[in-house]
């Protein structure tokens, strides 16, 4: 987020449990304007931004909020990491919901209800939802560990820091230098067994193992209409049963995560 951005318009996604309450409060606080609808800008063109835009458009429609919704991305098209079939179907859904798209628009600043982009254009925005790429926490810069070009902890395929094998970095905060991956939760989850094994291996003097990221993985995108889009290139399916599948997978994962909370660990891990 730009350091000089105003905070009045910014609404954070997390915690999700209170997001819609905070958004609703912000919308109600806006002064009515003649012949102009409130504007919501989502900064970032990844899959998560599209998912939020689709769910938000449905939420606004059901509550009869007349609001303009626009996605800003610095790339040539949103969801650029997806295959063309998935991108095409998502873009069609966005168009059908009336969500506007501003591509090749890098946002430099947000202040006093105005978004300023790299091409010196100014756009009105009553609410700004910031959803750009993951950025490293400030703590990493203070550790004196090797970093990648973006400032994440540089690690080996064993998830050990390239500068100190006693330190591990998993999830978004680390980058495996020989084979960098997108900052996606699926990789963080799959690193867990490798991380657990290697911490125990270092403590006991046993051999470590390497993390081998998968090249493709299933994506389930909530589209806010009781359906979800399943994307596994070259397949893209938009159906109600995909939403049930997503809910089942998410619920099962959260139960597993909840069962692990409270367990003690003898080693500090950056995560």
């Amino acid at each position: 987020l730009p350091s000089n951005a105003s905070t009045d318009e910014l609404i954070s996604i997390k915690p999700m449990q209170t997001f819609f309450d905070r958004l609703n409060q912000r919308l109600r606080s806006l002064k009515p304007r003649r012949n102009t609808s409130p504007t919501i800008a989502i900064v970032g063109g990844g899959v998560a931004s599209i998912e939020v835009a689709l769910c938000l458009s449905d939420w606004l429609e059901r509550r009869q909020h007349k609001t303009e919704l626009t996605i800003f991305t610095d790339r040539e098209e949103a969801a650029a990491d997806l295959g063309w079939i998935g991108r095409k179907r998502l873009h069609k859904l966005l168009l059908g919901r009336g969500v506007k798209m501003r591509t090749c628009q890098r946002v430099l600043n947000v202040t006093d209800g105005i978004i300023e982009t790299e091409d010196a254009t100014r756009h009105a925005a009553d609410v700004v939802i910031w959803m750009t790429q993951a950025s490293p926490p400030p703590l990493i810069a203070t550790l004196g560990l090797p970093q990648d070009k973006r400032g994440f902890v540089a690690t080996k395929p064993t998830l050990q820091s390239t500068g100190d094998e006693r330190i591990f970095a998993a999830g978004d905060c680390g980058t495996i230098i020989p084979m960098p991956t997108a900052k996606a939760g699926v990789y963080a989850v799959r690193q867990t067994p490798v991380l657990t094994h290697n911490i125990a291996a270092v403590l006991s003097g046993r051999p470590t193992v390497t993390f081998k990221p998968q090249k493709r993985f299933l994506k389930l995108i909530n589209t806010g209409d009781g359906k979800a889009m399943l994307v596994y290139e070259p397949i893209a399916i938009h159906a109600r049963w995909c939403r049930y599948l997503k809910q089942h997978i998410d619920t099962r994962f959260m139960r597993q995560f909840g069962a692990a909370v409270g367990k003690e660990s003898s080693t500090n891990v950056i995560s």
Side-chain angles (χ1 to χ4, degrees):
L1 184 64
S3 58
N4 57 340
S6 169
T7 57
D8 293 339
E9 302 88 359
L10 296 175
I11 302 291
S12 61
I13 288 292
K14 297 179 180 179
M16 281 297 300
Q17 294 88 337
T18 64
F19 169 69
F20 286 112
D21 290 337
R22 289 182 282 112
L23 176 61
N24 200 34
Q25 184 178 2
R26 170 63 182 169
L27 291 174
R28 288 182 176 181
S29 70
L30 298 176
K31 295 180 179 180
R33 294 178 300 196
R34 178 179 294 183
N35 301 325
T36 305
S37 299
T39 56
I40 299 177
I42 298 176
V43 180
V47 172
S49 298
I50 291 180
E51 186 171 37
V52 167
L54 291 172
C55 292
L56 189 53
S57 66
D58 179 74
W59 183 85
L60 292 168
E61 183 178 356
R62 285 189 281 110
R63 284 158 182 77
Q64 298 182 343
H65 285 298
K66 294 182 179 180
T67 308
E68 293 184 6
L69 189 58
T70 305
I71 294 176
F72 286 80
T73 176
D74 59 356
R75 306 182 77 169
E76 293 183 357
E77 56 183 333
D81 294 334
L82 288 182
W84 72 271
I85 296 178
R87 290 200 310 273
K88 182 178 180 180
R89 298 203 65 178
L90 284 175
H91 291 173
K92 184 177 180 180
L93 282 176
L94 290 169
L95 182 63
R97 303 280 183 87
V99 179
K100 298 179 181 179
M101 189 79 63
R102 295 193 178 275
T103 58
C104 300
Q105 296 275 329
R106 181 183 296 275
V107 175
L108 298 182
N109 190 31
V110 179
T111 183
D112 297 329
I114 297 294
I115 286 180
E116 300 177 8
T117 53
E118 196 171 37
D119 61 356
T121 309
R122 294 163 61 88
H123 310 269
D126 297 298
V127 179
V128 178
I129 303 173
W130 198 270
M131 298 191 64
T132 55
Q133 296 181 18
S135 58
L139 171 65
I140 292 179
T142 69
L143 299 178
L145 297 172
Q147 303 170 13
D148 70 355
K149 295 179 180 179
R150 294 174 56 192
F152 295 97
V153 177
T155 74
K156 302 176 181 180
T158 56
L159 307 182
Q160 294 168 284
S161 165
T162 58
D164 191 332
E165 292 187 347
R166 299 169 300 174
I167 299 176
F168 291 80
D172 285 358
C173 76
T175 297
I176 302 174
I177 296 303
M179 43 185 177
T181 60
K183 301 299 181 183
V186 64
Y187 293 118
V189 171
R190 293 182 180 275
Q191 285 175 358
T192 303
V194 174
L195 180 65
T196 303
H197 177 277
N198 286 350
I199 290 175
V202 168
L203 292 174
S204 62
R206 293 183 289 114
T208 57
V209 297
T210 61
F211 173 68
K212 299 178 181 179
Q214 61 196 98
K215 295 182 179 179
R216 296 192 302 173
F217 55 88
L218 179 70
K219 301 179 182 69
L220 286 163
I221 304 162
N222 187 356
T223 54
D225 53 359
K227 300 178 182 180
M229 183 170 293
L230 180 153
V231 180
Y232 190 79
E233 298 301 335
I235 301 170
I237 302 172
H238 184 220
R240 194 171 299 276
W241 67 264
C242 297
R243 178 69 179 88
Y244 294 143
L245 177 61
K246 177 177 174 60
Q247 186 172 7
H248 171 71
I249 293 174
D250 290 347
T251 301
R252 184 179 62 180
F253 170 73
M254 290 308 297
R255 285 174 179 169
Q256 292 174 344
F257 177 78
V261 172
K263 292 184 178 181
E264 296 183 354
S265 174
S266 59
T267 304
N268 290 328
V269 181
I270 304 171
S271 61

